[in-house]
Amino acid sequence: MHDPINKSLVVPLTPTEAFTLFTDNMDTWWPTETHSVFGEKAKITFPGHKDGDIIEKSEEGATDIWGTLIAYDPGVFLSFTWHPGRPASEATVVTVTFTETKDGTRCDLAHGGFDILGDTADAVSTSYLTGWDMVLGCYASAAMTPVLA
């Protein structure tokens, strides 16, 4: 499968809140125990600007760059290269848009560019079909949980 993966969900947040949860608060909902390089106690930092890196940091201080933010319009759209655990030369591209609906915000994720992976493209893209379901399920759960300051 080399076609882009497309996933959509609606969360009960404004586009700005949904965007902030996805980016600034990624570390609060991302399932590091199953979807990270360093495991459960890893911390994830999402950049607040174009050309910034998405970084995973282990409890011991080791880092892995997951990707680089290549487009950024807060509350509306973001796009980033994606290569957790792989070199940047094998990066695919993820794009997420945030669109206001009567029920909150529709988040549309597209993940493509798998052809750069050559012989492993089919296996990797197939693994992301269910991988994004798990990750976005965690995001949706976090969107349903009120944050108490």
Side-chain angles (χ1 to χ4, degrees):
M1 168 185 178
H2 292 258
D3 294 335
I5 294 168
N6 293 294
K7 303 286 183 179
S8 292
L9 71 153
V10 175
V11 294
L13 302 171
T14 67
T16 298
E17 292 168 336
F19 186 92
T20 299
L21 178 61
F22 194 94
T23 57
D24 297 350
N25 297 318
M26 181 181 262
D27 192 50
T28 66
W29 60 267
W30 190 274
T32 53
E33 63 279 358
T34 57
H35 290 74
S36 71
V37 174
F38 300 120
E40 185 173 3
K41 296 189 180 198
K43 299 293 180 193
I44 302 163
T45 305
F46 199 96
H49 56 84
K50 186 178 174 209
D51 298 324
D53 291 329
I54 305 164
I55 300 172
E56 178 183 356
K57 186 173 185 179
S58 75
E59 193 173 26
E60 295 77 27
T63 60
D64 186 76
I65 296 175
W66 285 7
T68 302
L69 193 56
I70 55 178
Y72 185 78
D73 186 358
V76 179
F77 170 89
L78 59 96
S79 187
F80 47 91
T81 63
W82 191 244
H83 57 91
R86 294 191 322 269
S89 61
E90 296 180 10
T92 55
V93 177
V94 176
T95 301
V96 186
T97 57
F98 301 85
T99 307
E100 187 170 10
T101 70
K102 65 179 180 67
D103 297 320
T105 299
R106 188 180 75 241
C107 305
D108 295 304
L109 180 143
H111 185 179
F114 293 100
D115 287 343
I116 198 164
L117 301 175
D119 292 343
T120 63
D122 283 339
V124 173
S125 65
T126 299
S127 74
Y128 274 110
L129 281 173
T130 55
W132 281 120
D133 288 341
M134 164 77 166
V135 168
L136 293 175
C138 292
Y139 172 74
S141 291
M144 302 284 188
T145 305
V147 177
L148 303 174

